[in-house]
Amino acid sequence: MTQARQSHVSVPLSNAEYLRDILRAPIYEVAIVSPLQNMPRISKRLDNHIQLKREDRQPVHSFKLRGAYNMMAQLSDAQKKAGVIAASAGNHAQGVAMSGHKLGISATIVMPRTTPDIKVAGVRSFGGNVVLHGNNFDEAKIKAIELANEHGYTFVAPFDHPAIIAGQGTIGLELLQQNGHLDYIFLPVGGGGIAAGVAVIVKQLMPHIKVIGVEAEDSACLKAAMDAGEPVTLDNVGTFADGVAVKRIGDETFRVCQQHLDDVITVSSDEICAAMKDIFEDTRAISEPSGALSLAGLKRYTEQHQLKGKNMASILSGANLNFHTLRYVSERAELGEKREGLLAVTIPERTGAFLDFCKILGGRAVTEFNYRYSDDALANIFVGVRLTNGQEELDSIISDLQKGGYPVQDLSDDEMAKVHIRYMIGGRPTKVMNERLYSFEFPEYPGALLRFLNTLGTHWNISMFNYRNHGADYGRVLCGFELEDKDLLSFTAHLKELGYGWKDETESPSYRFFLSKDS
């Protein structure tokens, strides 16, 4: 049996064995007892006592150090001498690299070629040997296992291993020691390591505490597994909260989570952005998206269940992000808090019409206004409005506009409107054409755009193109093509050849409203 396969879970640990392993985990040779910090602003707003476990204060700015060190410290002398290998695009990579440096173990990390330079530099700063391979985590993992088999390295799994789970479980032990009066603990879920580790110890020592798993709604592999009764593989996952962008929950992490979690909740990217803002306003800490996931879940769960006067804790699980990601976060945080509404409104093309429209808004702050002449009768406008009373206020605005004779559509939850359309208002073609609209996710590496154009642009006329990068590993692209019905089969085949994530957006309401000639 190869070293790569020896890390596979064959015999699950009992609850008592996990408790034992968590209690004797040697992680404090390298990790710290992270502070549990009060959050007065959001506590007052939600009428609950809310605290934040500051795992961003770890030496690698993430909780991942705990599990990696716990596993690597327990390797045999022969395994330590042979070295370890891992696949990761970020936090696990740095945890393995630092653990290797501390223990004197050679650590090789296979990272996708799309990994931001700041994360590659972080791994190398701890003495890790970086191998850049593939365009995503799955391709990097295949390469890592191949190298493990070739060189006899031990593969350090990112989450699905008892020693990793036990290492992350030390967070739960600290939480109980720091606040023995907690009512709820909210945990981020990617592959399930931290959720399984914390839940298994909390439920043995203080079973009355509710432990809630939180997932990003576009990478909810645990919820999918719960629904199916076993781990399943998602077709696609979102890339914004890349730290939890996992297609399949681990086998052992699922078993433990299924047994010990009280509930699982999902949140949107906008809600994650709002939670990042909350963390900054209360602590001045800048979280990565996945690091704010559990607070976003706490907020949604509190609202859904109308909780008041409870003691609650969430985890700031990491703070390794590209600075330019904050541009996107700033734009979306207001929407995530329901502090901004986006509307598509049709107004008549006559003198004073815009003034009448603004009067109906009642002096509310307009955050955005986009307009392009359409014809002599009507104009379509894209409006952002600042809200102080959330959805209730937005519904009131929509009602007032409709009573005033203005057709209106709420685009506040329309993803394409928020990502692209608000920056492209007025782009109608001057002729009727057989146009189809597609959105793409481009991996951010040299040659990606050229490959796109070579594969598609030389075959069909591109009628629209919009690209925005938010500092993530993937850029967002909106593209229009002139396509006859007879071209669709061949076009789809070329999309599959291209290999980028894509979606047909031709029937999007915002596209039909603002960009399509035949709307």
Side-chain angles (χ1 to χ4, degrees):
M1 180 178 288
T2 66
Q3 295 284 359
R5 296 183 184 276
Q6 286 180 12
S7 65
H8 181 73
V9 179
S10 55
V11 180
L13 296 188
S14 68
N15 293 338
E17 287 172 323
Y18 269 120
L19 177 59
R20 175 202 65 197
D21 288 353
I22 291 170
L23 290 173
R24 68 182 188 184
I27 66 157
Y28 300 109
E29 296 171 4
V30 63
I32 67 166
V33 175
S34 60
L36 184 62
Q37 185 170 350
N38 291 326
M39 300 187 73
R41 291 171 63 107
I42 193 171
S43 293
K44 182 178 180 180
R45 193 168 85 230
L46 299 184
D47 197 15
N48 290 284
H49 181 221
I50 297 170
Q51 295 179 297
L52 190 68
K53 183 71 167 160
R54 295 289 303 276
E55 284 298 290
D56 61 308
R57 300 286 293 273
Q58 296 294 348
V60 296
H61 307 293
S62 163
F63 76 97
K64 285 286 190 176
L65 177 62
R66 295 173 182 261
Y69 190 85
N70 189 49
M71 178 179 174
M72 291 169 63
Q74 297 176 47
L75 296 178
S76 68
D77 290 341
Q79 288 175 316
K80 291 178 179 179
K81 183 177 180 180
V84 301
I85 193 166
S88 172
N91 294 339
H92 181 58
Q94 294 183 72
V96 171
M98 184 176 183
S99 298
H101 178 74
K102 178 71 174 181
L103 294 165
I105 301 172
S106 174
T108 299
I109 317 295
V110 184
M111 309 183 79
R113 289 197 299 266
T114 57
T115 303
D117 291 342
I118 189 173
K119 294 184 178 181
V120 175
V123 172
R124 287 175 172 157
S125 71
F126 293 116
N129 173 36
V130 175
V131 176
L132 296 176
H133 179 84
N135 296 324
N136 53 54
F137 170 76
D138 291 328
E139 293 178 10
K141 182 180 178 181
I142 291 171
K143 182 65 174 179
I145 293 176
E146 175 188 317
L147 292 173
N149 290 331
E150 181 180 345
H151 299 286
Y153 301 143
T154 295
F155 181 72
V156 182
F159 46 82
D160 200 24
H161 188 281
I164 299 290
I165 295 170
Q168 321 302 24
T170 57
I171 295 172
L173 183 62
E174 291 175 17
L175 280 169
L176 300 182
Q177 293 171 333
Q178 291 168 320
N179 185 352
H181 300 284
L182 288 171
D183 298 303
Y184 289 86
I185 296 174
F186 292 82
L187 301 166
V189 180
I194 186 173
V198 173
V200 74
I201 188 169
V202 169
K203 285 301 183 180
Q204 288 184 82
L205 299 181
M206 293 190 179
H208 65 280
I209 297 177
K210 300 294 185 183
V211 184
I212 314 297
V214 185
E215 293 187 285
E217 62 184 17
D218 56 7
S219 56
C221 61
L222 175 56
K223 185 178 185 301
M226 291 287 197
D227 292 341
E230 62 181 1
V232 296
T233 301
L234 303 178
D235 292 333
N236 297 288
V237 294
T239 56
F240 173 60
D242 58 345
V244 292
V246 177
K247 287 186 176 182
R248 187 182 191 277
I249 196 80
D251 292 333
E252 175 66 354
T253 53
F254 171 68
R255 184 189 71 82
V256 177
C257 286
Q258 186 181 42
Q259 181 179 354
H260 295 294
L261 287 182
D262 291 287
D263 204 349
V264 178
I265 190 170
T266 63
V267 295
S268 68
S269 293
D270 289 352
E271 289 172 310
I272 293 172
C273 291
M276 292 174 68
K277 181 181 178 184
D278 289 323
I279 289 172
F280 177 77
E281 289 182 341
D282 252 321
T283 70
R284 294 301 183 264
I286 300 177
S287 168
E288 63 184 88
S290 58
L293 181 63
S294 63
L295 180 62
L298 181 155
K299 291 168 62 182
R300 173 175 274 203
Y301 195 87
T302 297
E303 179 182 2
Q304 286 182 350
H305 296 271
Q306 295 295 299
L307 300 177
K308 302 293 182 182
K310 302 297 184 180
N311 285 300
M312 300 177 167
S314 65
I315 316 295
L316 200 176
S317 58
N320 292 305
L321 81 163
N322 290 327
F323 180 78
H324 295 297
T325 301
L326 296 175
R327 175 177 59 185
Y328 174 85
V329 172
S330 177
E331 291 173 353
R332 302 293 284 263
E334 296 298 285
L335 290 165
E337 271 302 346
K338 301 296 183 182
R339 294 176 183 170
E340 183 185 27
L342 301 181
L343 302 174
V345 185
T346 301
I347 66 174
E349 278 284 8
R350 61 172 175 76
T351 303
F354 180 54
L355 177 60
D356 293 341
F357 166 76
C358 291
K359 286 180 179 178
I360 291 178
L361 292 181
R364 296 180 178 89
V366 175
T367 60
E368 188 165 355
F369 179 85
N370 292 288
Y371 156 77
R372 173 110 177 163
Y373 174 82
S374 180
D375 58 39
D376 291 337
L378 301 171
N380 296 329
I381 60 174
F382 185 98
V383 182
V385 183
R386 181 84 64 196
L387 304 173
T388 58
N389 195 26
Q391 189 64 44
E392 181 180 345
E393 182 180 4
L394 183 60
D395 290 341
S396 175
I397 293 172
I398 292 172
S399 177
D400 289 344
L401 289 171
Q402 290 173 336
K403 289 176 182 177
Y406 294 95
V408 57
Q409 186 165 357
D410 184 3
L411 298 180
S412 303
D413 293 323
D414 186 312
E415 183 67 13
M416 199 171 77
K418 292 183 285 188
V419 174
H420 294 291
I421 297 300
R422 67 191 306 174
Y423 306 102
M424 299 176 65
I425 302 305
R428 292 185 184 277
T430 57
K431 64 176 184 178
V432 175
M433 61 174 65
N434 293 314
E435 184 181 61
R436 297 192 70 87
L437 195 67
Y438 293 84
S439 60
F440 297 86
E441 285 190 337
F442 270 45
E444 288 290 354
Y445 69 86
L449 177 58
L450 182 61
R451 181 163 180 255
F452 174 88
L453 295 174
N454 284 336
T455 304
L456 299 175
T458 57
H459 297 276
W460 295 278
N461 180 49
I462 295 177
S463 55
M464 180 196 315
F465 194 91
N466 175 252
Y467 165 79
R468 299 193 76 235
N469 172 260
H470 304 297
D473 297 345
Y474 284 79
R476 306 290 291 275
V477 176
L478 186 67
C479 197
F481 297 88
E482 281 193 81
L483 293 170
E484 302 288 344
D485 289 344
K486 62 182 177 63
D487 295 327
L488 289 178
L489 187 62
S490 176
F491 182 77
T492 302
H494 279 75
L495 289 180
K496 292 179 180 178
E497 175 189 342
L498 182 65
Y500 299 162
W502 62 273
K503 181 181 179 182
D504 188 340
E505 305 280 9
T506 308
E507 299 305 318
S508 163
S510 52
Y511 166 67
R512 291 293 180 187
F513 200 95
F514 290 108
L515 301 173
S516 176
K517 179 68 175 177
D518 58 350
S519 61

